[in-house]
Amino acid sequence: MKITEITIRHLQMKLKAPFTTSFGTFTNRDFLLLEAKDEQGTIGWGESVAFHSPWYNEETLKTNWHMLEDYLIPLILNKEINHPDEVSAIFEPIRKNNMAKSTIEGAIWDIYAQQTNQTLAAALGGTKDQIEVGISIGIQNSIDELVALVDEYVRDGYKRIKVKIKPGWDVEVMRTLREKFPDVAIMADANSAYRLEDAPLLKQLDEFNLTMVEQPLASDDIIDHATLQKQMTTPICLDESIHSLEDARKAIEIGATKIINIKIGRVGGLTEAKKIHDYCESMGIPVWCGGMLESGVGRAHNVALTTLSNFILPGDTASSNRYWEKDIIEPEVVAENGYIQVPQTAGIGYAINRETVESYTVEKKTYN
Ligand code: OSB
Ligand code: MG
């Protein structure tokens, strides 16, 4: 295939309810949507999961647009590509900027799957026809409000409840949840809110039989995570620290992580995500698919990736209607009893509603 035209749109979608992490609160999701067309007219879609500001990692919507416009799109346009796995080699001269790279790579995977007349899931080597999902709940104003939300999502059938924690919203919150929901799979995500000196506090979480604690310490510190893991029985799962197969290998080797959260954008695309998946499988490390409050396009990529065999634990890819009044895909992603049915049409498997896309578009530009 040869990509002959790329359109980038900045979309802004209002979240149904604000989402709060240890870094702050979102009310809107601003992101880039990328549409790529090849010489036969096949269209593929990619989503940048970078946020408006650099709180999760150093990338932002604007740095992604800059990287795409000035470096990545020129490297891709009119180049003969036989397989999406070649994209990472084409991008090798560009360091990091993984979310920007992943945006194009995802669209190329979509085109490749359509041209080979298979689902994106099958193109990746996935085998499941349904995937198990959990849900991630932001920090709430009170424990009572959190308990009410957890109750609602447990009734909805979500297979695992993840709760954001931060200093002052941690041990008592988890204790209450465990008391109220003795049999539910519960985990906590700190988004790097603690330091190794908080180990005595974090160790108290061991009482609550949590499935895991996600990214308690700094994103660039797998060494302290290894030290902490030696002191805790609850498995540590790394999110922000893992940008590549090499990061995964080192973190596993030093005992910093027993489970890995794979996010396609954070690791630079589906090809690298698959490599991490395969390596973790060979090492007996379970993985699950993280979420970045994606629109339907990113959600579709997550669903496809999760069909690979070592995605053993439920991911964060909840129903579209947990986030949006109206998503940009048709049909929307629906979790029923904690399962999402994997779409069976070629490519990402969901149609893009162009009218809805336009209604959320703040800015757009075409490159050819
Ligand atoms: O750390 O997994 C995270 C949302 C935004 C940024 C980082 C994270 C999250 C979530 C929500 O936990 C996942 C989702 O529902 O998409
Ligand atoms: Mg996380």
Side-chain angles (χ1 to χ4, degrees), residues 5 33 43 53 85-87 89 122 126 137 176 180 221 246 254 258 263 269 285 312 324 345 354:
E5 187 177 289
L33 186 68
I43 287 172
S53 63
D85 284 345
E86 294 166 18
V87 174
I137 306 180
T176 305
K180 302 262 183 204
D221 199 346
E246 274 300 283
I254 67 168
K258 291 184 174 166
K263 290 182 180 168
I285 299 285
I312 291 170
W324 321 115
T345 46
R354 287 189 178 269

Side-chain angles (χ1 to χ4, degrees), residues 49-321:
V49 297
F51 292 105
H52 199 270
S53 63
W55 65 269
Y56 170 83
N57 70 349
E58 66 285 356
E59 296 186 74
T60 70
L61 183 149
K62 275 195 190 172
T63 69
N64 272 218
W65 200 318
H66 157 55
M67 290 308 302
L68 287 161
E69 173 166 307
D70 295 330
Y71 297 101
L72 303 174
I73 291 176
L75 282 172
I76 289 293
L77 278 180
N78 297 312
K79 187 160 289 175
E80 187 59 45
I81 297 167
N82 294 310
H83 191 279
D85 284 345
E86 294 166 18
V87 174
S88 41
I90 297 172
F91 287 162
E92 218 162 70
I94 311 296
R95 291 192 199 273
K96 301 251 178 91
N97 292 286
N98 284 353
M99 292 174 173
K101 291 175 178 171
S102 170
T103 310
I104 295 194
E105 200 244 26
I108 291 175
W109 270 103
D110 182 16
I111 292 175
Y112 171 78
Q114 291 175 61
Q115 291 189 341
T116 51
N117 197 24
Q118 56 186 330
T119 62
L120 178 58
L124 290 165
T127 47
K128 302 173 201 162
D129 50 23
Q130 57 176 15
I131 59 164
E132 264 192 317
V133 289
I135 196 161
S136 172
I137 306 180
I139 291 164
Q140 304 299 311
N141 292 321
S142 69
I143 297 190
D144 286 350
E145 280 167 72
L146 177 63
V147 168
L149 276 178
V150 172
D151 190 54
E152 180 187 331
Y153 292 133
V154 168
R155 284 167 199 271
D156 284 348
Y158 283 106
K159 299 285 183 195
R160 169 281 270 151
I161 303 292
K162 161 168 141 182
V163 178
K164 295 288 185 182
I165 56 168
K166 64 172 184 182
W169 180 265
D170 43 38
V171 176
E172 284 322 305
V173 171
M174 302 317 287
R175 186 190 311 281
T176 305
L177 288 184
R178 184 44 86 212
E179 277 167 13
K180 302 262 183 204
F181 305 96
D183 304 320
V184 173
I186 301 175
M187 61 175 286
D189 184 2
N191 289 108
S192 299
Y194 300 88
R195 294 293 167 264
L196 189 55
E197 67 209 40
D198 299 313
L201 180 145
L202 292 165
K203 275 197 296 212
Q204 294 179 54
L205 297 174
D206 285 343
E207 266 182 74
F208 312 128
N209 188 28
L210 304 180
T211 314
M212 69 195 94
V213 55
E214 185 179 341
Q215 196 70 41
L217 310 178
S219 67
D220 55 0
D221 199 346
I222 60 170
I223 297 190
D224 282 358
H225 277 104
T227 308
L228 178 64
Q229 182 68 89
K230 285 195 191 80
Q231 300 175 35
M232 289 184 79
T233 54
T234 307
I236 291 177
C237 167
L238 291 179
D239 171 354
E240 283 92 327
S241 294
I242 306 295
H243 311 95
S244 62
L245 171 61
E246 274 300 283
D247 284 352
R249 177 181 66 74
K250 290 167 192 166
I252 292 167
E253 221 162 87
I254 67 168
T257 194
K258 291 184 174 166
I259 297 168
I260 289 182
N261 166 338
I262 297 183
K263 290 182 180 168
I264 303 164
R266 199 192 64 228
V267 304
L270 285 162
T271 296
E272 192 74 10
K274 192 169 148 51
K275 285 186 191 166
I276 296 172
H277 163 275
D278 294 351
Y279 177 72
C280 287
E281 186 157 58
S282 75
M283 298 299 286
I285 299 285
V287 303
W288 55 279
C289 185
M292 291 286 279
L293 310 175
E294 290 93 343
S295 84
V297 168
R299 212 157 284 284
H301 283 89
N302 287 344
V303 169
L305 180 67
T306 306
T307 63
L308 299 181
S309 54
N310 193 41
F311 281 85
I312 291 170
L313 295 157
D316 274 347
T317 308
S319 294
S320 295
N321 75 4

